[in-house]
Amino acid sequence: MKGEREVKSGVSEEEREVKRKRVMERSDSPPPPLGFNNPLLPLANAYDDDDEEEENELKKSQARGNGVAKREGNGNKVKGEAQEEVDDDEDDASKGKGKHSRHVEVRRDCPYLDTVNRQVLDFDFERFCSVSLSNLNVYACLVCGKYFQGRSQKSHAYTHSLEAGHHVYINLLTEKVYCLPDSYEINDPSLDDIRHVLNPRFSRAQVDELDKNRQWSRALDGSDYLPGMVGLNNIQKTEFVNVTIQSLMRVTPLRNFFLIPENYQHCKSPLVHRFGELTRKIWHARNFKGQVSPHEFLQAVMKASKKRFRIGQQSDPVEFMSWLLNTLHMDLRTSKDASSIIHKCFQGELEVVKEYQGNENKEISRMPFLMLGLDLPPPPLFKDVMEKNIIPQVALFDLLKKFDGETVTEVVRPKLARMRYRVIKSPRYLMFHMVRFKKNNFFKEKNPTLVNFPVKDMELRDYIPSLPRAPEGENVCSKYNLIANIVHDGKPEDGYFRVFVQRKSQELWYEMQDLHVAETLPQMVELSEAYMQIYEQQEE
């Protein structure tokens, strides 16, 4: 049978084997750097294993440190295991002397440093290769600002260096700078400013001096900006995120906590780390531009909220604030009953007295809160003699009577009851939410009532007389100052949000709406339709 097949095909088995070997040899040989028409097609899954080893060095060292700590608590058995692990490491090291142990030359005299263009560098977006869309070993080209993967001869960064003539690249994780295609590391202090923009750093001394700083910073385009008072890009209907972030940046303990990454290095939540990165970028004094794009933070929000809050869909800042604070608290706590920086800043306590109709018994309970909802009086139904709607006004004093322990609030769900609320513990940062929007079966309507509120020296005890006094020996002040005021302008569906924030170093007020940042008068803060406010407790 075998002979018959050879006769029919006219090709012997030996000739077939020779052809098969030739095909295998051709496929094993690497292609020349520019010897194909489309150099990007064979590189879809290529990345540099050496870079992956560099990025994993820190993780390996931490794992070894944990292993050493565990071995110290055990006896001779663990010593034997340690000896075996050392032997395994030696075997791995001997194996690694082949392909992956490439020595990288370090030089200071790179001739291509003058091609670095800081004007096009933007590290606010997701760190994915612009060709393969992979997040492994991503490098940024310091000439054009694009992201590419790897630096080996089969990588996209290497191909880009040959095609475009761009030779300087920085690893977005290790912050090492390389020259391609020569593949040597560049060690030059003139690149430190790029590393600081890529990953802003703050010492504890610098953090303590932030609220005292009055110095302006200058961007590369010549524009001046204030660290902490930079605009945020509105990617697409994301002003509800921008006003929330700008408000939280005025909460000093929360800001100081996230400026030091060591405070939350135990946390594995991407949302926590993206929020920390955004905080450091907003307060960084050496940015190349006077605005920040919260793109990476928004991607983490979309993933953590399961697209409840997403780009392209307008949402409520109050709902987003509540979700963000609760999610950060859940991710930051080390145990189920542990506290976090979120609760230390915003958590207060209410005493709730519930009375059901036809039942003389009262249910008394305590309830923690992060935000207090204030009910606005209904607007008038009729117009005045000038055929214009009357815009009513109400004092914050009247709205806070809801929490004095005496005013009765009737609720229908889940059962008809009469409720009385009393604040028994006031937080360091007090958040108010004016309930302006209501939905019915047909449309969403907005209450235009203006709230008259104090900007400074709000004595909470005057508003809530039943507020308990602090124990003896504790200097707790009941006066509060306004630090952030989120307002809504326009119609319920087509309106927009903006925020007034205070700069503590000079006690000046700024109006912020996406990229727009302008100084304003304190009187203008009181004339707006307040939607959410943050008050800070004064220090004795």
Side-chain angles (χ1 to χ4, degrees):
M1 295 293 295
K2 182 176 179 182
E4 291 178 0
R5 285 198 302 268
E6 291 179 357
V7 170
K8 290 180 180 179
S9 60
V11 181
S12 64
E13 190 68 27
E14 295 178 356
E15 293 177 353
R16 290 180 181 176
E17 189 66 27
V18 171
K19 289 184 178 181
R20 189 180 297 110
K21 289 182 179 180
R22 290 176 181 174
V23 171
M24 294 295 293
E25 290 175 358
R26 292 173 184 174
S27 61
D28 291 340
S29 59
L34 293 176
F36 37 78
N37 296 329
N38 187 359
L40 302 181
L41 291 178
L43 308 178
N45 297 318
Y47 63 92
D48 197 347
D49 294 335
D50 297 336
D51 299 336
E52 191 173 10
E53 290 181 356
E54 291 176 4
E55 296 174 356
N56 291 333
E57 283 180 0
L58 182 59
K59 298 179 182 178
K60 290 182 180 179
S61 62
Q62 292 176 351
R64 289 171 183 166
N66 295 334
V68 171
K70 292 179 180 178
R71 294 188 199 107
E72 290 178 353
N74 298 330
N76 296 328
K77 178 182 177 181
V78 181
K79 291 183 179 179
E81 294 176 357
Q83 185 62 36
E84 291 179 2
E85 290 184 8
V86 171
D87 296 339
D88 294 340
D89 293 341
E90 290 177 356
D91 294 340
D92 295 339
S94 62
K95 292 178 183 178
K97 289 181 181 179
K99 178 181 176 182
H100 299 296
S101 61
R102 183 175 63 193
H103 175 70
V104 179
E105 181 186 2
V106 180
R107 293 173 53 179
R108 298 176 60 94
D109 55 341
C110 178
Y112 301 110
L113 288 181
D114 59 340
T115 63
V116 175
N117 186 4
R118 290 167 172 80
Q119 299 278 357
V120 299
L121 298 183
D122 189 352
F123 301 119
D124 292 341
F125 293 94
E126 285 188 295
R127 298 173 183 182
F128 285 93
C129 174
S130 59
V131 180
S132 65
L133 300 181
S134 172
N135 60 350
L136 295 175
N137 306 324
V138 180
Y139 288 75
C141 174
L142 298 185
V143 182
C144 65
K146 295 180 180 179
Y147 292 174
F148 298 98
Q149 186 182 16
R151 58 182 175 86
S152 63
Q153 293 186 0
K154 296 182 180 181
S155 66
H156 301 297
Y158 190 92
T159 304
H160 179 71
S161 68
L162 295 175
E163 287 187 338
H166 299 171
H167 301 286
V168 188
Y169 297 81
I170 185 170
N171 189 305
L172 297 180
L173 186 62
T174 64
E175 301 179 11
K176 293 183 178 180
V177 182
Y178 296 92
C179 179
L180 297 181
D182 297 336
S183 294
Y184 62 83
E185 182 182 348
I186 304 173
N187 183 14
D188 195 288
S190 65
L191 301 173
D192 288 344
D193 60 335
I194 299 178
R195 294 188 177 96
H196 276 278
V197 173
L198 173 62
N199 185 18
R201 303 166 178 83
F202 290 87
S203 64
R204 298 191 182 274
Q206 291 174 331
V207 170
D208 295 337
E209 297 294 325
L210 281 180
D211 287 334
K212 302 176 184 178
N213 179 36
R214 300 187 177 187
Q215 187 175 1
W216 289 66
S217 297
R218 175 160 293 184
L220 291 180
D221 59 358
S223 61
D224 295 333
Y225 69 93
L226 280 168
M229 295 290 176
V230 297
L232 296 177
N233 278 331
N234 185 349
I235 297 177
Q236 190 179 358
K237 296 183 179 180
T238 57
E239 64 260 24
F240 71 97
V241 175
N242 294 347
V243 295
T244 303
I245 295 299
Q246 297 287 14
S247 301
L248 292 178
M249 291 299 103
R250 312 309 132 196
V251 181
T252 304
L254 184 70
R255 177 203 66 190
N256 295 350
F257 178 85
F258 281 99
L259 285 178
I260 307 295
E262 288 77 12
N263 293 332
Y264 49 91
Q265 63 182 359
H266 66 278
C267 182
K268 297 181 180 180
S269 169
L271 180 68
V272 172
H273 291 279
R274 297 292 89 79
F275 184 78
E277 289 178 4
L278 182 59
T279 303
R280 293 194 297 274
K281 289 178 180 179
I282 289 176
W283 286 93
H284 190 45
R286 298 167 62 180
N287 286 330
F288 289 160
K289 56 189 189 312
Q291 67 269 358
V292 175
S293 177
H295 194 274
E296 285 189 284
F297 175 72
L298 284 169
Q299 295 294 333
V301 167
M302 291 173 60
K303 186 175 182 180
S305 66
K306 298 179 181 179
K307 294 191 176 181
R308 176 185 173 188
F309 305 101
R310 60 179 183 265
I311 299 174
Q313 179 177 336
Q314 183 65 269
S315 297
D316 194 332
V318 174
E319 294 181 7
F320 179 69
M321 176 76 81
S322 302
W323 174 86
L324 180 62
L325 294 181
N326 283 292
T327 307
L328 290 177
H329 166 70
M330 298 288 288
D331 294 340
L332 285 171
R333 64 180 185 177
T334 55
S335 63
K336 187 175 181 180
D337 299 328
S339 182
S340 68
I341 187 64
I342 305 297
H343 279 187
K344 290 177 182 177
C345 292
F346 298 106
Q347 191 180 53
E349 196 170 6
L350 283 176
E351 183 185 71
V352 182
V353 180
K354 185 183 297 184
E355 298 178 2
Y356 292 106
Q357 190 173 5
N359 189 352
E360 296 181 356
N361 296 328
K362 299 179 181 179
E363 293 183 8
I364 302 177
S365 59
R366 292 193 171 190
M367 179 189 303
F369 70 88
L370 297 178
M371 185 186 306
L372 294 177
L374 305 179
D375 300 322
L376 297 176
L381 298 176
F382 304 101
K383 297 181 179 181
D384 60 3
V385 293
M386 301 297 293
E387 292 296 325
K388 293 182 179 180
N389 287 326
I390 302 173
I391 300 178
Q393 299 186 25
V394 63
L396 185 64
F397 178 83
D398 297 328
L399 300 180
L400 285 175
K401 286 182 179 180
K402 176 182 177 181
F403 301 99
D404 60 1
E406 298 177 359
T407 303
V408 176
T409 304
E410 293 186 356
V411 296
V412 179
R413 296 178 181 178
K415 189 176 179 181
L416 184 62
R418 293 162 60 89
M419 313 282 288
R420 290 201 302 268
Y421 305 96
R422 184 169 72 96
V423 178
I424 58 177
K425 179 185 176 183
S426 58
R428 184 174 178 185
Y429 289 87
L430 192 59
M431 277 196 291
F432 295 136
H433 159 222
M434 286 68 176
V435 184
R436 288 194 178 274
F437 300 103
K438 289 185 178 180
K439 290 183 179 180
N440 52 31
N441 295 331
F442 305 100
F443 54 86
K444 183 179 181 181
E445 52 186 356
K446 174 185 174 182
N447 191 330
T449 302
L450 294 178
V451 180
N452 298 323
F453 54 87
V455 175
K456 199 172 183 180
D457 296 331
M458 182 188 74
E459 178 59 67
L460 190 62
R461 200 174 299 281
D462 294 342
Y463 292 82
I464 307 176
S466 60
L467 187 69
R469 298 188 178 274
E472 295 184 2
E474 294 186 12
N475 294 327
V476 179
C477 184
S478 59
K479 287 186 178 182
Y480 285 80
N481 295 333
L482 184 69
I483 58 174
N485 181 33
I486 297 177
V487 303
H488 182 269
D489 298 321
K491 298 180 180 180
E493 299 292 345
D494 303 328
Y496 56 90
F497 295 98
R498 53 196 176 97
V499 62
F500 294 93
V501 297
Q502 186 191 40
R503 187 187 181 200
K504 289 186 178 180
S505 60
Q506 295 176 310
E507 294 188 357
L508 298 176
W509 282 90
Y510 287 84
E511 177 188 354
M512 310 182 79
Q513 182 184 351
D514 299 332
L515 295 177
H516 172 76
V517 181
E519 185 180 345
T520 187
L521 297 173
Q523 292 80 358
M524 298 299 297
V525 182
E526 303 175 9
L527 297 177
S528 55
E529 297 181 5
Y531 187 53
M532 185 168 57
Q533 297 177 329
I534 301 180
Y535 279 88
E536 182 184 32
Q537 192 176 42
Q538 291 185 2
E539 297 180 358
E540 286 287 350

